[in-house]
Amino acid sequence: MVEKAIQRLAAEDAYRDELTILREWDTAPAPPGWLLSPFAVEHFILGNDKLGIESKFVAPRELLTRVIISLATNRGVMLIGEPGTAKSLLSELLACAVSGHSQFTIQGGAVSHYKQLLYGWNEALLQRDGPSIAALIPGPIYRGMAAGQLVRFEELARCPAPVQDAILSVLSERKLHIPELSDDAATLYARDGFNIIATSNSLDKGLNAMSAALKRRMNFETIAAISDLQDEIDVVQREANKLLQRSGVAVTLEPMIIEMLVTVFHELRNGQTLSGRSTDRLAAAVMSTAEAVSVAHAMGVYAHYYGDGKIRPADMIHFLLGATLKDNLQDRRRVKHYFDTEVVNKLGSHWRELYEQSNILKA
């Protein structure tokens, strides 16, 4: 049987060579339990051309510095932002650079009981021998504390408040009480390097609000969409090419097509064209950079399997609609108006003719 390739490597595996380079280069002091200094962590995430370290995230350096310093203290970090702003990617990169491991991860939407965070029990051993370390099944918080590594809490607002509050004593006291056990085993003390980095979708604020006590134990940072058009073009070009390479697709994404695609996303997201004219924001679609990468990837895959390896204007329009039109009927009108008034004016004559002949947006 042919072994199938992994679709997406963990950051510590994907960037193993870069991490090795940085460890050899890094001479700055590192916080207790960290593999790299804060200075080197910044280089790993924002890039360093001289060392051959690629940029992996677009953000103001001062924002990243605040996040890194927060992680080096006894306060957790909460990354808040709209969907598609790469909060999860940033948390993975930070865990990878700080701990060399990003797999202690909690998915808030899948957690319904605090035991899923902390620890559970092997019922067979529990019934036979009673509570013991051998019968204990460690959760991600327990494992992160014991190993002295960062724990990622994805979409924290999607789990109930009692579950969220289970980490209060962990964040403040840096220890976990296990009342079922006795003597030294009854308390787990966090090792150097442990902390929690959480994310929350700013559109999910009404799901399960964080308690004031939990908020006091975490520093909040808002991750905004990429504001600079060229930065966003560079990200979409780079990440879409990576996805195409992983997909075994030998299609070249022309810079003009990527610029056009990103411009559409940029303008619909901001509710304003680059020239300053107002345009309707979409009600149901999130015009994020991540969505733009997905559209560019889809266009390349389509060109490979259904075309001759060339991406055509009509193809771009088709896949843009898949990203922009969700379940809101008014968005069809908004998108049609935007394409009629803005996109057609940006297209060359050949592209404009193809668009005008298309009935994609006619309704």
Side-chain angles (χ1 to χ4, degrees):
M1 181 177 178
V2 177
E3 183 178 356
K4 295 184 178 180
I6 296 172
Q7 287 190 333
R8 184 184 183 277
L9 293 171
E12 54 267 30
D13 296 321
Y15 300 110
R16 189 180 303 278
D17 293 342
E18 291 191 3
L19 290 169
T20 300
I21 291 171
L22 282 169
R23 289 191 191 110
E24 293 174 352
W25 168 84
D26 189 17
T27 58
W34 284 35
L35 296 180
L36 294 174
S37 69
F39 193 58
V41 172
E42 282 193 18
H43 281 284
F44 175 68
I45 294 173
L46 298 181
N48 183 314
D49 291 338
K50 292 182 179 179
L51 294 176
I53 308 299
E54 72 171 64
S55 173
K56 304 166 187 67
F57 190 80
V58 177
R61 184 174 293 273
E62 57 270 20
L63 181 149
L64 184 58
T65 300
R66 289 196 303 270
V67 171
I68 292 171
I69 294 303
S70 294
L71 289 174
T73 69
N74 285 342
R75 292 178 63 81
V77 173
M78 168 64 76
L79 305 177
I80 292 181
E82 293 185 356
T85 50
K87 302 179 295 297
S88 296
L89 172 63
L90 179 57
S91 75
E92 181 183 9
L93 293 172
L94 285 164
C96 164
V98 169
S99 302
H101 183 273
S102 63
Q103 304 307 298
F104 293 152
T105 306
I106 302 159
Q107 295 295 337
V111 177
S112 58
H113 197 280
Y114 72 88
K115 289 184 178 179
Q116 294 172 266
L117 304 181
L118 306 178
Y119 62 90
W121 297 100
N122 181 314
E123 291 299 329
L125 292 178
L126 189 65
Q127 292 294 327
R128 191 187 71 185
D129 304 325
S132 66
I133 288 292
L136 186 144
I137 302 174
I141 297 286
Y142 186 108
R143 296 168 67 195
M145 293 175 68
Q149 296 184 335
L150 290 185
V151 176
R152 300 166 56 208
F153 201 140
E154 297 292 307
E155 302 298 350
L156 184 144
R158 291 185 180 271
C159 65
V163 176
Q164 297 179 25
D165 288 344
I167 63 175
L168 282 175
S169 61
V170 170
L171 285 172
S172 57
E173 300 175 14
R174 299 285 148 167
K175 59 185 178 182
L176 174 62
H177 297 287
I178 308 170
E180 297 90 343
L181 300 179
S182 59
D183 301 327
D184 292 342
T187 304
L188 172 69
Y189 294 91
R191 302 298 181 187
D192 284 339
F194 166 75
N195 210 333
I196 294 176
I197 179 166
T199 66
S200 184
N201 181 342
S202 58
L203 300 183
D204 287 347
K205 287 183 178 179
L207 288 183
N208 293 290
M210 292 175 62
S211 67
L214 185 53
K215 288 180 179 179
R216 286 196 300 270
R217 289 162 173 80
M218 305 187 85
N219 288 342
F220 283 60
E221 289 291 346
T222 299
I223 308 301
I226 300 174
S227 58
D228 183 81
L229 181 66
Q230 188 57 53
D231 284 344
E232 191 167 10
I233 289 171
D234 293 342
V235 169
V236 173
Q237 183 90 49
R238 181 180 68 244
E239 296 304 317
N241 281 330
K242 284 183 184 178
L243 291 174
L244 289 172
Q245 186 176 11
R246 273 191 221 121
S247 301
V249 172
V251 171
T252 300
L253 295 171
E254 297 180 14
M256 181 184 68
I257 290 177
I258 296 299
E259 181 178 356
M260 182 68 194
L261 173 68
V262 173
T263 299
V264 171
F265 270 76
H266 195 86
E267 293 184 342
L268 286 175
R269 180 173 66 235
N270 294 327
Q272 187 179 56
T273 68
L274 297 180
S275 60
R277 290 192 298 275
S278 295
T279 185
D280 287 334
R281 293 175 183 265
L282 302 186
V286 178
M287 305 302 292
S288 67
T289 304
E291 284 274 8
V293 171
S294 295
V295 172
H297 181 209
M299 288 192 300
V301 171
Y302 179 81
H304 179 73
Y305 289 108
Y306 285 88
D308 55 2
K310 299 291 185 182
I311 297 175
R312 292 173 173 77
D315 300 338
M316 186 180 75
I317 295 170
H318 272 292
F319 286 104
L320 269 171
L321 295 182
T324 56
L325 299 183
K326 303 297 183 182
D327 57 355
N328 188 291
L329 294 178
Q330 292 302 316
D331 278 353
R332 175 172 287 273
R333 176 189 59 78
R334 296 184 181 105
V335 171
K336 184 178 188 306
H337 179 263
Y338 172 78
F339 270 77
D340 286 341
T341 58
E342 299 297 333
V343 175
V344 171
N345 292 331
K346 295 179 174 70
L347 298 175
S349 58
H350 178 58
W351 284 36
R352 187 181 300 113
E353 181 181 351
L354 286 173
Y355 168 74
E356 291 172 348
Q357 290 174 355
S358 170
N359 63 356
I360 299 168
L361 285 171
K362 294 179 182 177

